Amino acid sequence: MSDPILRLEGVYTNIAQYHILQGVDLEVPRGAVTMLLGRNGVGKTTTLRTIIGHWRAHQGRVLLDGQDITRMPTPAIARAGVGFVPEDMGIFANLTVEENMVLAAASGPIDGARLDWVFQAFPPLKTFWKSEAGNLSGGQKQMLSIARAMVEERRLYLIDEPTKGLAPAIVSTMARALRELKAQGASILLVEQNFSVARALGDTACVMDDGRIVWSGEMRELATDASLQERLMGLSMEAH
Amino acid sequence: MSMAPEHAPTMARLSLAQRLAPWMPVLLVPLLVVAGLLAIPNTSSWLTLTVSGLAMGMMIFLMASGLTLVFGLMDVINFGHGAFVSVGAFVGVSVLLMLGGMTGAPSLALNLAAMGLAVIGAMLATGAMGWAFEKVIVKPVYGHHLKQILVTMGGLIVVEQLIIVLWGPEEIYISRPEALKGAITFAGAALEKYRLVAVGLGLVVFAAMRWTLRRTKIGLIVRAGVENGEMVQALGYRLRLVFVGVFIAGSALAGLGGVMWGLYQEVVSAHMGNQAMILIFIVVIIGGLGSVEGCFIGALLVGLMQNYVAFLEPKVALISNIGLMVAILMWRPMGMIPVVKAK
């Protein structure tokens, strides 16, 4: 395997008195989709928020392409090429779809060809281009949230549960868009509870429990081994 | 993979009520003006009071606009904002006193030039003071509301005492520039020239702020930051720098408001900013935290209400704006144009 785009080495993150991450070791291969899996509350979101710098690692290192970004401020991490799609989508409801996208293109004006590609992935965004983002439906908001990350080429995408609570039609739109992104060679660390999506998109997978990575390997291996799923996550993914 | 059909969005046609709803706060201003016309039998008195109310509202807007952005963007409760109003007024008045030859000349151009210099001086002084205030007083207490209230009130008291040290404990009386004294008569109503200038200046500042917030990238960052600062940072913007810039701009605007307010009252005192804070807070709250448009409408409502009620029932004037705030918050608990959803 080539040099990983992202490496976490023994990362500990505390939030107030709670020790959420307890020594996370994780690698995201370049140009691949890595699924971060696990039950609710095991530290998946905290891992993403620690990488982007919203929460600080108290111990350990976060390396982006070999560069230590552990202590870097969030804007510097973003400028280094990390796109972040939070679990709550983080859209600016009082801004229009256009304004949300303009803001997301931090390095300059939006590239026309890139925008066309985003519109192809998410047609509703073109329809509601001048509408306030707060007036979009839940699925459209999620599309906007991912489109903001896609509007510029990033070295790494951190995406937190993009299909959470969405109707099947929208889930398939999301999955298609993420496949498009993957086809362009993007490196993605994706938290996903929908195993169908995880199985379809993931190249590698890491399973978390109690603030640690308890298993990592090929997604294929996890997807085909029901006993492994049962042991790691206490559920059979064959049921999905 | 799901075989669900393509998601096909449609644009729903909004009803008239839905289309009018966002404009309701804006409509309140003409509604209040019409209510004033119905309540005040003499049309010329009504016109005089309306212009006076609009002028007062514009000056309150100048003083309050910075505070609403600081509230909304930085989640900082700055009780020291009044200090910038007072310092702005004193610096402006000092400049005007130094330029006595220009202000005493019966030339509108010279008078406006003198006022322009006074305003520039006041804005530079209060902008610099805002930078120091943010660095020394506000920065250590980000995220702690109670500490913010205590420490910024302390800052206000210190600044007031510094004003007394520098300019003395007495109030300073100042007369308006020569060409801005007196009134013009229109439709039988006496319209003070200075108030017309205040209305014009308020409109220009509002238009400039709105343009900056709506049409520039920095404005976009500020508006987004008011909603979700964390996400703005995740998009690569150094919000801390924007915070400081907004604080400085807000302080400078308060300084501008202080000059205009001082000339309006024709007297300045160390405590004038503190006294104005009641009206400023009312305007910021009823406008909706972080909303410049809401602040503008709120300021006009407060100015008009104060003038109409003072004419009709002077004893009620003091509480009329509190009543206005209560009524608006019962109608829209987050203010007329809420921007900050939850912090």
Side-chain angles (χ1 to χ4, degrees), chain B residues 191-253:
Chain B
L191 309 177
E192 275 193 41
K193 293 176 192 169
Y194 181 76
R195 289 177 181 176
L196 293 173
V197 170
V199 170
L201 182 64
L203 284 172
V204 168
V205 170
F206 174 65
M209 283 185 82
R210 204 175 140 78
W211 182 84
T212 306
L213 287 169
R214 298 271 161 189
R215 298 271 176 256
T216 67
K217 189 133 186 187
I218 189 77
L220 213 53
I221 295 169
V222 170
R223 285 163 58 211
V226 170
E227 274 196 67
N228 188 343
E230 198 175 62
M231 194 60 220
V232 172
Q233 297 198 70
L235 292 176
Y237 300 101
R238 294 166 68 191
L239 207 55
R240 164 90 197 124
L241 278 183
V242 181
F243 278 180
V244 176
V246 166
F247 203 95
I248 291 172
S251 308
L253 281 169

Side-chain angles (χ1 to χ4, degrees), chain B residues 135-191:
Chain B
K135 210 167 182 61
V136 177
I137 294 178
V138 176
K139 193 178 169 188
V141 292
Y142 274 125
H144 305 281
H145 285 156
L146 183 60
K147 286 181 184 172
Q148 285 167 9
I149 292 170
L150 294 173
V151 83
T152 55
M153 282 196 89
L156 172 66
I157 293 166
V158 169
V159 172
E160 282 182 352
Q161 294 308 309
L162 282 175
I163 289 173
I164 290 170
V165 169
L166 289 171
W167 280 280
E170 303 299 327
E171 294 175 331
I172 298 176
Y173 290 89
I174 176 89
S175 57
R176 292 171 192 162
E178 203 56 37
L180 300 180
K181 287 178 182 168
I184 57 168
T185 308
F186 176 76
L191 309 177

Side-chain angles (χ1 to χ4, degrees), chain A residues 18-140:
Chain A
Y18 303 106
H19 295 205
I20 309 294
L21 301 189
Q22 303 185 39
V24 172
D25 295 298
L26 170 76
E27 281 191 0
V28 176
R30 196 181 304 274
V33 178
T34 301
M35 307 304 304
L36 190 55
L37 305 170
R39 284 181 288 245
N40 288 337
V42 296
K44 302 186 297 293
T45 294
T46 304
T47 302
L48 296 197
R49 290 177 64 84
T50 302
I51 296 167
I52 195 69
H54 284 333
W55 288 329
R56 291 280 156 218
H58 290 84
Q59 205 179 311
R61 295 201 305 165
V62 181
L63 302 166
L64 178 69
D65 241 346
Q67 185 193 4
D68 192 341
I69 61 167
T70 321
R71 301 273 166 253
M72 273 168 68
T74 299
I77 296 170
R79 293 266 178 186
V82 179
F84 179 52
V85 180
E87 189 178 6
D88 66 2
M89 299 179 275
I91 63 152
F92 306 114
N94 289 310
L95 270 55
T96 63
V97 171
E98 178 184 16
E99 288 171 333
N100 269 273
M101 295 289 279
V102 167
L103 206 55
S107 61
I110 301 175
D111 176 68
R114 185 107 186 156
L115 187 61
D116 286 341
W117 174 63
V118 171
F119 282 154
Q120 227 169 10
F122 302 124
L125 297 185
K126 192 171 187 179
T127 311
F128 296 113
W129 188 238
K130 296 284 181 189
S131 304
E132 272 194 10
N135 295 334
L136 299 178
S137 71
Q140 289 158 355

Side-chain angles (χ1 to χ4, degrees), chain B:
Chain B
M1 190 59 59
S2 165
M3 295 301 288
E6 285 289 331
H7 179 65
T10 53
M11 297 285 273
R13 197 171 182 80
L14 297 175
S15 69
L16 183 64
Q18 281 173 314
R19 272 180 282 175
L20 276 179
W23 296 98
M24 280 308 291
V26 182
L27 293 176
L28 280 183
V29 176
L31 280 176
L32 186 58
V33 170
V34 171
L37 181 60
L38 295 174
I40 299 164
N42 187 329
T43 314
S44 59
S45 299
W46 166 80
L47 189 55
T48 302
L49 289 167
T50 302
V51 172
S52 178
L54 291 175
M56 185 181 172
M58 293 294 182
M59 281 179 279
I60 297 170
F61 166 71
L62 291 176
M63 293 187 280
S65 53
L67 187 66
T68 196
L69 284 179
V70 168
F71 247 152
L73 180 65
M74 304 160 83
D75 195 24
V76 167
I77 302 172
N78 181 16
F79 275 71
H81 193 75
F84 305 122
V85 174
S86 300
V87 169
F90 272 89
V91 171
V93 163
S94 299
V95 172
L96 285 174
L97 290 174
M98 278 193 291
L99 300 173
M102 287 170 79
T103 56
S107 155
L108 183 62
L110 277 177
N111 290 172
L112 288 178
M115 269 188 73
L117 289 172
V119 161
I120 290 169
M123 290 181 79
L124 286 175
T126 50
M129 186 182 142
W131 174 78
F133 201 87
E134 194 278 340
K135 210 167 182 61
V136 177
I137 294 178
V138 176
K139 193 178 169 188
V141 292
Y142 274 125
H144 305 281
H145 285 156
L146 183 60
K147 286 181 184 172
Q148 285 167 9
I149 292 170
L150 294 173
V151 83
T152 55
M153 282 196 89
L156 172 66
I157 293 166
V158 169
V159 172
E160 282 182 352
Q161 294 308 309
L162 282 175
I163 289 173
I164 290 170
V165 169
L166 289 171
W167 280 280
E170 303 299 327
E171 294 175 331
I172 298 176
Y173 290 89
I174 176 89
S175 57
R176 292 171 192 162
E178 203 56 37
L180 300 180
K181 287 178 182 168
I184 57 168
T185 308
F186 176 76
L191 309 177
E192 275 193 41
K193 293 176 192 169
Y194 181 76
R195 289 177 181 176
L196 293 173
V197 170
V199 170
L201 182 64
L203 284 172
V204 168
V205 170
F206 174 65
M209 283 185 82
R210 204 175 140 78
W211 182 84
T212 306
L213 287 169
R214 298 271 161 189
R215 298 271 176 256
T216 67
K217 189 133 186 187
I218 189 77
L220 213 53
I221 295 169
V222 170
R223 285 163 58 211
V226 170
E227 274 196 67
N228 188 343
E230 198 175 62
M231 194 60 220
V232 172
Q233 297 198 70
L235 292 176
Y237 300 101
R238 294 166 68 191
L239 207 55
R240 164 90 197 124
L241 278 183
V242 181
F243 278 180
V244 176
V246 166
F247 203 95
I248 291 172
S251 308
L253 281 169
L256 165 62
V259 178
M260 297 303 290
W261 192 245
L263 281 172
Y264 178 67
Q265 297 187 312
E266 297 189 281
V267 60
V268 295
S269 76
H271 307 295
M272 62 180 285
N274 197 1
Q275 288 155 0
M277 280 307 282
I278 297 169
L279 288 178
I280 292 172
F281 270 121
I282 290 175
V283 163
V284 168
I285 291 167
I286 65 177
L289 301 184
S291 166
V292 171
E293 288 87 353
C295 179
F296 183 72
I297 296 166
L300 294 184
L301 290 175
V302 164
L304 288 167
M305 179 70 91
Q306 178 98 3
N307 276 271
Y308 290 152
V309 177
F311 177 80
L312 291 166
E313 200 59 61
K315 285 179 186 170
V316 187
L318 276 175
I319 59 159
S320 63
N321 284 316
I322 303 286
L324 177 71
M325 181 170 73
V326 170
I328 285 178
L329 291 183
M330 284 174 72
W331 172 46
R332 291 196 172 182
M334 297 289 286
M336 288 185 289
I337 305 178
V339 174
V340 183
K341 297 286 188 273
K343 289 253 180 185

Side-chain angles (χ1 to χ4, degrees), chain A residues 203-230:
Chain A
D203 298 306
T204 62
C206 298
V207 182
M208 289 191 81
D209 200 12
D210 281 341
R212 293 186 189 88
I213 302 291
V214 293
W215 184 90
S216 57
E218 296 292 314
M219 184 69 214
R220 239 186 346 257
E221 187 186 342
L222 182 64
T224 53
D225 190 338
S227 65
L228 187 62
Q229 296 161 23
E230 179 70 34

